[in-house]
Amino acid sequence: MKFIQLLLIFLAFTLNANSRDYIIVQSTTSIANTGLLDILSSEFEKQTGIKVRPIAVGTGNAISNSKRGDGDVLIVHSKQDELKFVSEGYGVKRYGLMFNNFIIVGPKDDPVNILQETDIKKIMKKIALSNYKFISRDDNSGTHIKEKNLWKLANINSFDNFKYIRTGTSMANTLNVASEMNAYTLSDQGTWLSFNNKNNLKVLFKGGNEMHNEYGIIAINPKKFPHVEFEKSKEFIEWLITGAGKDIINNFTYNGEKLFFTN
């Protein structure tokens, strides 16, 4: 009995010694590119004393990292993958955090004439059947997953490789390529608004249920990864969903334009 008591004391001491004063947030790039994640991290630390260390990568990479236990909280925008992440035991529960829209951007003179369209299926078909380039992230990010779903919705299954350019990189870099090549692409609204190299590009389509862009937040499961800071993660999630973080998200603007809306 005495041995068990000593063992429990030792384990408690060890767990306490290994406790961190920060949480690691695996996040999609769009929240970081706009500056919102830095503001949320700074304010959360001021109010709670808990530091936030964000790692901003594409949704696919953020999920892969979290599946290895490399983080405490996951913020991404691919609901189907988020629910799968939880159902497989990697996350505790998915919460809807906030949303905006995906948008189609392209040359201001709109040579494919999609500005007049209201049906995203027609827009994707027009782009696919035209002689103009489309720039894809092709990186398994939330935006790339949405793009693939839109092609599927439009029954487009193959592409002319000359016209379909794969960057395999971030949204900002993909927008840079579209700007340089005067091409069409799909973007999240937040990254587009904070993007400074628009040149001849403009927003040609947004809105509609198919373009809805929802961000979810998940605490990594401590039963699968005992080292995670679960209690601190729960506090961060609650602060974002029902506390002061929610107001920061709702009041956040870039160049006077509101970027995100809480659920």
Side-chain angles (χ1 to χ4, degrees):
M1 187 71 177
K2 190 173 183 180
F3 171 77
I4 294 175
Q5 290 176 332
L6 290 172
L7 180 61
L8 290 173
I9 293 171
F10 172 76
L11 289 173
F13 175 80
T14 302
L15 289 172
N16 187 59
N18 291 333
S19 179
R20 293 181 267 113
D21 64 350
Y22 64 89
I23 57 173
I24 297 171
V25 176
Q26 291 281 349
S27 166
T28 182
T29 54
S30 56
I31 306 175
N33 289 342
T34 57
L36 174 60
L37 188 54
D38 285 341
I39 292 173
L40 290 172
S41 300
S42 176
E43 287 301 315
F44 182 68
E45 182 180 354
K46 285 180 184 177
Q47 295 182 26
T48 66
I50 301 170
K51 299 174 183 177
V52 177
R53 295 186 180 178
I55 299 175
V57 290
T59 287
N61 286 333
I63 291 175
S64 294
N65 293 343
S66 298
K67 283 184 174 181
R68 294 191 297 269
D70 297 337
D72 303 292
V73 176
L74 175 66
I75 304 177
V76 286
H77 59 145
S78 180
K79 187 173 182 179
Q80 184 176 348
D81 293 310
E82 294 161 33
L83 293 174
K84 183 180 179 183
F85 181 84
V86 173
S87 69
E88 291 176 344
Y90 294 104
V92 176
K93 183 178 180 179
R94 179 200 181 271
Y95 296 89
L97 177 60
M98 59 189 182
F99 67 92
N100 58 16
N101 290 311
F102 287 105
I103 55 176
I104 300 289
V105 302
K108 288 180 180 178
D109 60 353
D110 187 23
V112 181
N113 293 318
I114 66 173
L115 188 58
Q116 63 186 1
E117 298 291 349
T118 58
D119 186 343
I120 187 61
K121 295 188 291 294
K122 289 183 179 180
I123 288 172
M124 301 307 284
K125 284 180 180 178
K126 272 191 167 186
I127 293 173
L129 298 175
S130 74
N131 291 318
Y132 292 89
K133 291 180 175 63
F134 183 91
I135 315 300
S136 172
R137 284 186 65 169
D138 193 41
D139 64 347
N140 202 34
S141 61
T143 304
H144 181 222
I145 292 168
K146 170 60 71 171
E147 180 210 319
K148 290 191 291 185
N149 289 338
L150 292 177
W151 292 126
K152 184 177 180 181
L153 189 67
N155 292 317
I156 302 298
N157 301 309
S158 61
F159 305 94
D160 183 329
N161 286 331
F162 174 75
K163 295 186 301 182
Y164 189 75
I165 311 299
R166 298 169 171 87
T167 67
T169 187
S170 70
M171 191 70 254
N173 287 339
T174 300
L175 283 168
N176 270 320
V177 174
S179 178
E180 293 300 319
M181 301 187 76
N182 210 32
Y184 292 86
T185 194
L186 176 75
S187 175
D188 68 275
Q189 195 169 14
T191 303
W192 167 255
L193 290 173
S194 61
F195 179 65
N196 295 318
N197 187 34
K198 294 180 174 69
N199 289 337
N200 194 42
L201 296 181
K202 66 178 286 187
V203 177
L204 298 172
F205 182 78
K206 65 179 179 179
N209 292 334
E210 296 91 350
M211 304 299 278
H212 185 72
N213 181 25
E214 183 174 350
Y215 294 80
I217 186 167
I218 303 168
I220 309 305
N221 193 346
K223 292 181 180 179
K224 200 170 193 72
F225 303 107
H227 65 274
V228 300
E229 291 291 342
F230 182 60
E231 293 302 322
K232 294 181 178 69
S233 298
K234 283 200 304 181
E235 188 172 350
F236 182 57
I237 291 172
E238 290 171 4
W239 182 81
L240 287 172
I241 293 174
T242 62
K246 181 176 181 178
D247 293 332
I248 293 172
I249 294 170
N250 280 324
N251 294 323
F252 181 74
T253 60
Y254 191 93
N255 289 336
E257 189 160 356
K258 185 172 172 59
L259 294 191
F260 301 99
F261 303 84
T262 56
N263 288 5

